[in-house]
Amino acid sequence: MEFRQLRFFAEAAKQKSITKASEVLHISQPALSKAIKGLEEELGTTLLIRTNKTSELTDAGEVVLDYALRMGVLLEEMTTTLNDLSELKRGEVHIGLPPFIGSLLFPKVMAKFHHHYPNIKLNIAEYGGARVVKSVEEGEMELGVAVLPLDDKQFRIYPILEEEMQLVVHEDHPLGKKQSIDMSDLADEEFIFYNEEFALYKILREYFISAGFEPKILFQSSQWDLMSEMAAANLGITILPASICRRVPNKELRFLGLRPPVMWRLAVITKKDRYLSRAARTLIDFILSSKGALGQEEQ
């Protein structure tokens, strides 16, 4: 059965005449009659009772007409939906964001994106950085935001932010009067550190080991505001990205440069062998065009 046959039949039923229907459809009467006859044979029942002047529906014809009309509506909706997608009037994107990053950098960017593309739905999952990478790798998320470095053989990588990290200490801490500090001078300090699921845990730990020591971790957290408040209570020191340091309201804290500089580099990532929807590609382009505003939203 072809939808063309149903469309021909529906028009003949509407016009109640093979002749009139053939004129509307711009096909010959024999071709129209043959198409309807083929449909009847396939269904094993008579749909139209033909006379010289008119064509009347049988009971079976009434049933088939109802379905044919509904299928026509569905086909039209499908065509409209596909046109909307091609014109980016609607779509859906699944994106993984570490809470640490998402709450800091993306609210205004996402708000602007929604303003430009109100019918694109963003399904945001908040995972730790390591899980974001895994979710993109396994296809759960179409794209994610992650901390570099990552394997560029496995992922498409779109850098969006690079900035230095800063040492955060209480003003009464012995380091509080310095402007910068060597990593090797932190061997005896107690750290308020990131949870293991954060990419920064591994990155910073490798910096410390390169400087000749294993960090003394006093507390671990996934919340930058808690980490900074604990440093403000002089319970230990921590290291945060510069854009986060700019958001910390506590005036009892001091922010020091690190030698060598510790860089925080973020990127949008997608899996290399995965097809990207038009909506996802548009979101990536929008983030890249807005990356100059990332990290600056709270200044």
Side-chain angles (χ1 to χ4, degrees):
M1 182 188 304
E2 298 178 5
F3 182 75
R4 177 181 61 91
Q5 293 172 292
L6 291 172
R7 183 167 62 88
F8 288 176
F9 163 70
E11 190 61 39
K14 177 182 176 182
Q15 300 297 334
K16 296 185 177 182
S17 167
I18 296 293
T19 302
K20 291 181 180 178
S22 66
E23 292 173 356
V24 171
L25 295 168
H26 303 292
I27 62 173
S28 68
Q29 291 186 42
L32 177 56
S33 295
K34 183 178 179 181
I36 294 174
K37 185 65 174 177
L39 180 63
E40 290 177 323
E41 290 176 353
E42 185 170 352
L43 294 175
T45 186
T46 301
L47 304 178
L48 286 173
I49 299 175
R50 302 163 182 84
T51 66
N52 290 333
K53 295 184 178 180
T54 186
S55 298
E56 297 291 338
L57 287 173
T58 64
D59 290 343
E62 294 279 2
V63 172
V64 173
L65 177 62
D66 179 58
Y67 279 98
L69 293 175
R70 282 192 277 168
M71 291 170 68
V73 170
L74 287 174
L75 183 61
E76 185 177 347
E77 287 181 359
M78 181 188 73
T79 303
T80 300
T81 301
L82 289 174
N83 287 338
D84 285 349
L85 282 172
S86 65
E87 296 171 13
L88 210 61
K89 292 179 181 176
R90 68 177 64 192
E92 188 171 357
V93 184
H94 294 266
I95 178 171
L97 284 177
F100 205 87
I101 295 171
S103 63
L104 172 68
L105 301 179
F106 282 90
K108 288 187 178 180
V109 171
M110 294 302 186
K112 290 177 182 177
F113 181 82
H114 178 69
H115 176 75
H116 282 82
Y117 305 100
N119 292 320
I120 296 182
K121 181 180 179 182
L122 299 180
N123 291 317
I124 300 173
E126 291 187 305
Y127 297 149
R131 188 176 172 189
V132 167
V133 173
K134 188 174 180 64
S135 70
V136 173
E137 179 184 356
E138 294 180 347
E140 178 188 357
M141 293 290 131
E142 196 169 6
L143 57 91
V145 175
V147 178
L148 300 180
L150 286 174
D151 182 7
D152 60 4
K153 294 180 180 179
Q154 189 170 9
F155 299 101
R156 300 186 192 94
I157 296 173
Y158 307 89
I160 55 175
L161 178 67
E162 181 174 4
E163 64 181 28
E164 290 189 21
M165 301 194 72
Q166 296 179 317
L167 185 70
V168 183
V169 303
H170 190 273
E171 62 182 356
D172 293 334
H173 191 282
L175 299 176
K177 305 300 181 184
K178 295 181 177 291
Q179 296 297 316
S180 61
I181 189 78
D182 288 328
M183 290 288 282
S184 58
D185 292 336
L186 302 176
D188 296 326
E189 299 295 332
E190 293 182 321
F191 284 90
I192 302 156
F193 216 56
Y194 301 89
N195 288 336
E196 284 88 344
E197 67 174 8
F198 279 73
L200 283 173
Y201 173 91
K202 180 180 179 182
I203 291 171
L204 287 172
R205 185 171 176 273
E206 289 177 352
Y207 268 97
F208 293 138
I209 291 173
S210 296
F213 68 95
E214 183 78 33
K216 297 177 182 178
I217 299 175
L218 185 62
F219 299 105
Q220 289 179 270
S221 176
S222 61
Q223 304 296 324
W224 66 265
D225 50 350
L226 176 59
M227 295 170 72
S228 62
E229 286 301 315
M230 294 178 80
N234 213 3
L235 291 173
I237 65 174
T238 191
I239 296 176
L240 296 172
S243 54
I244 292 180
C245 293
R246 289 193 291 268
R247 291 185 62 169
V248 174
N250 198 304
K251 296 181 179 179
E252 296 179 337
L253 291 174
R254 297 293 178 265
F255 307 100
L256 317 180
L258 290 166
R259 300 189 301 265
V262 179
M263 304 306 298
W264 191 49
R265 296 188 296 132
L266 299 181
V268 175
I269 63 169
T270 64
K271 193 175 182 181
K272 272 194 171 179
D273 60 358
R274 173 171 180 167
Y275 169 78
L276 284 181
S277 68
R278 182 180 174 89
R281 296 196 303 270
T282 299
L283 176 59
I284 291 171
D285 289 342
F286 191 88
I287 292 173
L288 292 176
S289 69
S290 305
K291 66 182 182 180
L294 294 174
Q296 309 300 318
E297 293 187 351
E298 299 299 323
Q299 292 192 80

mmCIF file of all heavy atoms in Angstrom, residues 139-160:
data_model
loop_
_atom_site.group_PDB
_atom_site.id
_atom_site.type_symbol
_atom_site.label_atom_id
_atom_site.label_comp_id
_atom_site.label_asym_id
_atom_site.label_seq_id
_atom_site.Cartn_x
_atom_site.Cartn_y
_atom_site.Cartn_z
ATOM 1 N N GLY A 139 27.866 8.390 24.890
ATOM 2 C CA GLY A 139 26.719 8.793 24.095
ATOM 3 C C GLY A 139 25.510 9.221 24.898
ATOM 4 O O GLY A 139 24.462 9.533 24.321
ATOM 5 N N GLU A 140 25.625 9.277 26.223
ATOM 6 C CA GLU A 140 24.498 9.728 27.042
ATOM 7 C C GLU A 140 24.220 11.204 26.803
ATOM 8 O O GLU A 140 23.066 11.635 26.731
ATOM 9 C CB GLU A 140 24.792 9.482 28.525
ATOM 10 C CG GLU A 140 23.682 9.958 29.455
ATOM 11 C CD GLU A 140 24.068 9.891 30.925
ATOM 12 O OE1 GLU A 140 25.180 9.422 31.242
ATOM 13 O OE2 GLU A 140 23.254 10.329 31.754
ATOM 14 N N MET A 141 25.280 11.994 26.697
ATOM 15 C CA MET A 141 25.177 13.419 26.438
ATOM 16 C C MET A 141 25.724 13.720 25.045
ATOM 17 O O MET A 141 26.738 13.159 24.626
ATOM 18 C CB MET A 141 25.986 14.223 27.474
ATOM 19 C CG MET A 141 25.434 14.145 28.875
ATOM 20 S SD MET A 141 23.871 15.025 29.036
ATOM 21 C CE MET A 141 22.894 13.776 29.860
ATOM 22 N N GLU A 142 25.031 14.607 24.329
ATOM 23 C CA GLU A 142 25.492 14.982 22.991
ATOM 24 C C GLU A 142 26.744 15.843 23.068
ATOM 25 O O GLU A 142 27.641 15.738 22.226
ATOM 26 C CB GLU A 142 24.375 15.720 22.256
ATOM 27 C CG GLU A 142 24.574 15.817 20.770
ATOM 28 C CD GLU A 142 23.330 16.315 20.055
ATOM 29 O OE1 GLU A 142 22.344 16.695 20.736
ATOM 30 O OE2 GLU A 142 23.327 16.325 18.818
ATOM 31 N N LEU A 143 26.801 16.683 24.078
ATOM 32 C CA LEU A 143 27.995 17.494 24.283
ATOM 33 C C LEU A 143 28.155 17.786 25.761
ATOM 34 O O LEU A 143 27.236 17.600 26.560
ATOM 35 C CB LEU A 143 27.944 18.779 23.453
ATOM 36 C CG LEU A 143 26.764 19.741 23.646
ATOM 37 C CD1 LEU A 143 27.075 20.776 24.703
ATOM 38 C CD2 LEU A 143 26.433 20.429 22.339
ATOM 39 N N GLY A 144 29.338 18.227 26.133
ATOM 40 C CA GLY A 144 29.611 18.546 27.532
ATOM 41 C C GLY A 144 30.640 19.650 27.614
ATOM 42 O O GLY A 144 31.275 20.015 26.615
ATOM 43 N N VAL A 145 30.810 20.186 28.813
ATOM 44 C CA VAL A 145 31.867 21.160 29.073
ATOM 45 C C VAL A 145 32.841 20.507 30.036
ATOM 46 O O VAL A 145 32.439 19.986 31.083
ATOM 47 C CB VAL A 145 31.300 22.464 29.662
ATOM 48 C CG1 VAL A 145 32.433 23.419 30.033
ATOM 49 C CG2 VAL A 145 30.369 23.132 28.660
ATOM 50 N N ALA A 146 34.114 20.509 29.676
ATOM 51 C CA ALA A 146 35.107 19.775 30.453
ATOM 52 C C ALA A 146 36.389 20.584 30.577
ATOM 53 O O ALA A 146 36.627 21.543 29.834
ATOM 54 C CB ALA A 146 35.394 18.431 29.799
ATOM 55 N N VAL A 147 37.201 20.155 31.545
ATOM 56 C CA VAL A 147 38.503 20.781 31.778
ATOM 57 C C VAL A 147 39.548 20.065 30.928
ATOM 58 O O VAL A 147 39.605 18.828 30.904
ATOM 59 C CB VAL A 147 38.879 20.721 33.267
ATOM 60 C CG1 VAL A 147 40.264 21.335 33.503
ATOM 61 C CG2 VAL A 147 37.836 21.438 34.117
ATOM 62 N N LEU A 148 40.365 20.823 30.223
ATOM 63 C CA LEU A 148 41.452 20.253 29.427
ATOM 64 C C LEU A 148 42.672 20.027 30.314
ATOM 65 O O LEU A 148 42.806 20.650 31.354
ATOM 66 C CB LEU A 148 41.796 21.217 28.283
ATOM 67 C CG LEU A 148 40.664 21.521 27.295
ATOM 68 C CD1 LEU A 148 41.142 22.492 26.229
ATOM 69 C CD2 LEU A 148 40.131 20.250 26.662
ATOM 70 N N PRO A 149 43.555 19.094 29.916
ATOM 71 C CA PRO A 149 43.634 18.422 28.612
ATOM 72 C C PRO A 149 42.759 17.172 28.527
ATOM 73 O O PRO A 149 42.460 16.537 29.546
ATOM 74 C CB PRO A 149 45.113 18.049 28.523
ATOM 75 C CG PRO A 149 45.516 17.815 29.941
ATOM 76 C CD PRO A 149 44.735 18.817 30.750
ATOM 77 N N LEU A 150 42.370 16.832 27.282
ATOM 78 C CA LEU A 150 41.636 15.611 26.980
ATOM 79 C C LEU A 150 42.198 15.003 25.694
ATOM 80 O O LEU A 150 42.914 15.676 24.938
ATOM 81 C CB LEU A 150 40.143 15.902 26.805
ATOM 82 C CG LEU A 150 39.334 16.195 28.066
ATOM 83 C CD1 LEU A 150 37.923 16.601 27.677
ATOM 84 C CD2 LEU A 150 39.296 14.992 28.996
ATOM 85 N N ASP A 151 41.821 13.765 25.442
ATOM 86 C CA ASP A 151 42.291 13.048 24.264
ATOM 87 C C ASP A 151 41.602 13.580 23.011
ATOM 88 O O ASP A 151 40.410 13.344 22.804
ATOM 89 C CB ASP A 151 42.002 11.551 24.440
ATOM 90 C CG ASP A 151 42.499 10.720 23.265
ATOM 91 O OD1 ASP A 151 43.175 11.288 22.387
ATOM 92 O OD2 ASP A 151 42.217 9.509 23.240
ATOM 93 N N ASP A 152 42.346 14.297 22.173
ATOM 94 C CA ASP A 152 41.728 14.869 20.974
ATOM 95 C C ASP A 152 41.530 13.828 19.869
ATOM 96 O O ASP A 152 40.957 14.133 18.826
ATOM 97 C CB ASP A 152 42.529 16.056 20.449
ATOM 98 C CG ASP A 152 43.959 15.688 20.068
ATOM 99 O OD1 ASP A 152 44.316 14.488 20.131
ATOM 100 O OD2 ASP A 152 44.720 16.597 19.693
ATOM 101 N N LYS A 153 41.993 12.601 20.081
ATOM 102 C CA LYS A 153 41.692 11.534 19.130
ATOM 103 C C LYS A 153 40.283 10.997 19.326
ATOM 104 O O LYS A 153 39.693 10.432 18.406
ATOM 105 C CB LYS A 153 42.708 10.396 19.278
ATOM 106 C CG LYS A 153 44.131 10.776 18.898
ATOM 107 C CD LYS A 153 45.071 9.592 19.071
ATOM 108 C CE LYS A 153 46.499 9.984 18.687
ATOM 109 N NZ LYS A 153 47.440 8.847 18.872
ATOM 110 N N GLN A 154 39.760 11.181 20.519
ATOM 111 C CA GLN A 154 38.435 10.652 20.841
ATOM 112 C C GLN A 154 37.357 11.720 20.804
ATOM 113 O O GLN A 154 36.191 11.432 20.524
ATOM 114 C CB GLN A 154 38.475 10.011 22.237
ATOM 115 C CG GLN A 154 37.234 9.238 22.606
ATOM 116 C CD GLN A 154 37.442 8.449 23.886
ATOM 117 O OE1 GLN A 154 38.439 8.605 24.571
ATOM 118 N NE2 GLN A 154 36.491 7.606 24.218
ATOM 119 N N PHE A 155 37.732 12.975 21.076
ATOM 120 C CA PHE A 155 36.743 14.048 21.189
ATOM 121 C C PHE A 155 37.040 15.184 20.215
ATOM 122 O O PHE A 155 38.198 15.486 19.926
ATOM 123 C CB PHE A 155 36.739 14.617 22.617
ATOM 124 C CG PHE A 155 36.374 13.621 23.681
ATOM 125 C CD1 PHE A 155 37.359 13.036 24.459
ATOM 126 C CD2 PHE A 155 35.056 13.266 23.900
ATOM 127 C CE1 PHE A 155 37.033 12.118 25.446
ATOM 128 C CE2 PHE A 155 34.712 12.354 24.885
ATOM 129 C CZ PHE A 155 35.708 11.774 25.657
ATOM 130 N N ARG A 156 35.972 15.814 19.750
ATOM 131 C CA ARG A 156 36.101 17.137 19.133
ATOM 132 C C ARG A 156 36.173 18.124 20.286
ATOM 133 O O ARG A 156 35.345 18.094 21.195
ATOM 134 C CB ARG A 156 34.905 17.463 18.250
ATOM 135 C CG ARG A 156 34.667 16.514 17.087
ATOM 136 C CD ARG A 156 33.536 17.052 16.216
ATOM 137 N NE ARG A 156 33.061 16.076 15.248
ATOM 138 C CZ ARG A 156 32.028 15.264 15.443
ATOM 139 N NH1 ARG A 156 31.346 15.327 16.576
ATOM 140 N NH2 ARG A 156 31.659 14.407 14.532
ATOM 141 N N ILE A 157 37.141 19.015 20.233
ATOM 142 C CA ILE A 157 37.389 19.926 21.351
ATOM 143 C C ILE A 157 37.270 21.369 20.858
ATOM 144 O O ILE A 157 37.940 21.768 19.904
ATOM 145 C CB ILE A 157 38.780 19.672 21.969
ATOM 146 C CG1 ILE A 157 38.820 18.250 22.567
ATOM 147 C CG2 ILE A 157 39.107 20.712 23.030
ATOM 148 C CD1 ILE A 157 40.186 17.829 23.061
ATOM 149 N N TYR A 158 36.412 22.139 21.535
ATOM 150 C CA TYR A 158 36.185 23.543 21.191
ATOM 151 C C TYR A 158 36.544 24.401 22.405
ATOM 152 O O TYR A 158 35.724 24.610 23.297
ATOM 153 C CB TYR A 158 34.725 23.778 20.809
ATOM 154 C CG TYR A 158 34.201 22.850 19.739
ATOM 155 C CD1 TYR A 158 33.622 21.621 20.076
ATOM 156 C CD2 TYR A 158 34.249 23.199 18.390
ATOM 157 C CE1 TYR A 158 33.129 20.762 19.089
ATOM 158 C CE2 TYR A 158 33.761 22.356 17.401
ATOM 159 C CZ TYR A 158 33.201 21.135 17.767
ATOM 160 O OH TYR A 158 32.714 20.281 16.799
ATOM 161 N N PRO A 159 37.796 24.899 22.479
ATOM 162 C CA PRO A 159 38.208 25.695 23.656
ATOM 163 C C PRO A 159 37.336 26.936 23.822
ATOM 164 O O PRO A 159 37.001 27.619 22.854
ATOM 165 C CB PRO A 159 39.661 26.070 23.330
ATOM 166 C CG PRO A 159 40.111 25.026 22.347
ATOM 167 C CD PRO A 159 38.892 24.714 21.513
ATOM 168 N N ILE A 160 36.981 27.232 25.083
ATOM 169 C CA ILE A 160 36.128 28.386 25.346
ATOM 170 C C ILE A 160 36.677 29.321 26.425
ATOM 171 O O ILE A 160 36.264 30.475 26.510
ATOM 172 C CB ILE A 160 34.701 27.963 25.748
ATOM 173 C CG1 ILE A 160 34.720 27.012 26.941
ATOM 174 C CG2 ILE A 160 33.983 27.334 24.556
ATOM 175 C CD1 ILE A 160 33.333 26.659 27.465
#
